[in-house]
Structure formats: C-alpha cells, structure tokens
C-alpha cells in the first residue's frame, strides 16, 4: 500500500483553524493593505502529520501532486515493511554491489550524513536490533498486539558496514547488515 493511501484532509477556510495554526489573513512584507491568502492542506503518512501551504488555491493542487510524488517515491525506496521496496530487496542481497535508484541513493546518503553528524547515534544499520526487539511490522499494527516477543539484543553493525559508491550509484552491505533508514528518510 502506497503512502498516498493514507487519509488526506484539506483544512477549511475559516480563521483560526486549530489544525494548521494559520489565520485567513497574513500580510506579505511591504504589503500592509493587501492580505496574503494562504491555502493549507493537512496530511498524514508514516505515522506523522504535516501540512502543505501555498500562497493561493490555484497552486495547491500542483503542490499536493508534487508532495505525494515524493512521498510515494521515498516510500517505494525506503519502506522496510513493503517486501517489494528497494530497501527490502537490498536487505535480502549480500552478494556484492547493488544498483541504486536516485531516490534511494539520496535517502541513504542522508542517513549516512546523519550517522556522521551524530557520531553513529543515528545508525542506518539498526534493523537487526529492531527486529530482535520485536519491531517487525508497521507501528500501527504492532500497537494492536497484546504481546511482542523480543529476542536477545543484537548490536547494530555501524556505518562501516555500508559501502556507498556514489560514482557508480551502488551500495554494498557487509554480511548480516540490514538497513532501516526510518527517521532520516522521513526527514528527507
């Protein structure tokens, strides 16, 4: 199921809509008498909520199309709960370099930069550790279970288990390495 399947709701046009925190009238810089009309749209995906705002209604449909284009592209590349996603296929492959789509390469690069920036605290090789804790399905489905079976802790292998070849647009994972780009892909 694609990310676009999640409920989408347009905000109403009334002032002070608590869902988006915007008011009907905002003044652009240098325009005291001509109010700027903002057109918001609220959405939910990946357990998150957000809003998309355009300057006027005529741009909202195009902006919404671009939003869902990129959300669906990242979902197809990085959703570890979809067995057909690029990350799921990569996590099953350990026989050498794997070609990457531009979207997945962008997401993996962001995850590696996040790992570098946090001295490894944000670790894209954390999937085996998450699976050992019982996080083997979408969080909404996991939350409905009465019991989650956890096994012995498994350490993440760390950034050194990933070889990203930016020139050839490939990645090689060390044996037993599996990726979960989670937060970094959502932030992308």
């Amino acid at each position: 199921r694609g990310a676009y399947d999640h409920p989408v709701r347009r905000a109403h046009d009334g002032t002070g809509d608590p869902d988006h925190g915007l008011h009907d009238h905002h003044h652009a810089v240098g325009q005291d008498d001509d109010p700027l009309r903002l057109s918001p749209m609220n959405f939910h995906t990946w357990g998150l909520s957000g809003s998309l705002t355009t300057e006027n209604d005529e741009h909202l449909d195009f902006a919404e199309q671009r939003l869902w284009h990129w959300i669906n592209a990242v979902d197809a590349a990085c959703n570890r709960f979809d067995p057909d996603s690029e990350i799921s296929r990569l996590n099953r492959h350990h026989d050498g370099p794997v070609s990457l789509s531009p979207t997945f390469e962008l997401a993996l690069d962001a995850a590696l930069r996040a790992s570098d920036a946090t001295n490894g605290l944000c670790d894209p090789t954390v999937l085996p550790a998450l699976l050992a804790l019982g996080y083997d399905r979408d969080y909404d489905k996991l939350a409905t279970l009465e019991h989650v079976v956890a096994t012995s802790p498994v350490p993440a292998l760390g950034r050194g288990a990933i070889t990203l070849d930016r020139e050839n647009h490939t990645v090689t994972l060390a044996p037993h390495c599996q990726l979960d780009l989670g937060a970094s892909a959502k932030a992308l």
Side-chain angles (χ1 to χ4, degrees):
R1 160 174 143 151
Y4 192 80
D5 295 333
H6 295 276
V8 177
R9 183 178 63 75
R10 289 186 188 269
H12 71 78
D13 290 329
T15 56
D17 182 353
D19 289 335
H20 60 74
L22 298 176
H23 299 283
D24 272 349
H25 300 285
H26 290 275
H27 294 286
V29 175
Q31 294 180 339
D32 293 331
D33 296 328
D34 188 18
L36 179 64
R37 303 267 309 161
L38 299 179
S39 298
M41 180 275 295
N42 295 323
F43 63 95
H44 304 277
T45 189
W46 303 321
L48 304 170
S49 62
S51 63
L52 174 69
T53 304
T54 59
E55 185 175 340
N56 57 51
D57 286 338
E58 64 192 48
H59 297 126
L60 187 59
D61 286 338
F62 176 75
E64 187 175 344
Q65 289 173 12
R66 299 311 304 156
L67 170 75
W68 289 114
H69 165 81
W70 285 110
I71 286 176
N72 286 326
V74 171
D75 193 71
C78 302
N79 184 346
R80 72 172 172 101
F81 302 112
D82 177 356
D84 296 323
S85 71
E86 191 168 355
I87 197 167
S88 292
R89 292 190 311 271
L90 175 62
N91 283 335
R92 293 188 299 266
H93 182 88
H94 288 92
D95 298 336
V98 174
S99 294
L100 302 175
S101 70
T103 301
F104 189 83
E105 185 172 1
L106 183 67
L108 180 57
D109 185 62
L112 294 174
R113 285 185 286 120
S115 179
D116 291 343
T118 62
N119 291 320
L121 293 176
C122 185
D123 189 341
T125 69
V126 73
L127 182 56
L130 293 174
L131 295 174
L133 293 172
Y135 190 13
D136 60 354
R137 63 198 81 197
D138 183 84
Y139 187 76
D140 290 338
K141 293 176 184 172
L142 193 64
T144 65
L145 300 177
E146 287 186 35
H147 303 291
V148 176
V149 178
T151 61
S152 299
V154 176
L157 295 179
R159 190 194 193 297
I162 303 169
T163 304
L164 176 60
D165 182 341
R166 289 174 178 85
E167 184 174 314
N168 292 308
H169 310 287
T170 63
V171 66
T172 304
L173 301 181
H176 310 292
C177 180
Q178 292 181 304
L179 305 180
D180 180 330
L181 303 185
S184 58
K186 289 175 183 177
L188 181 63

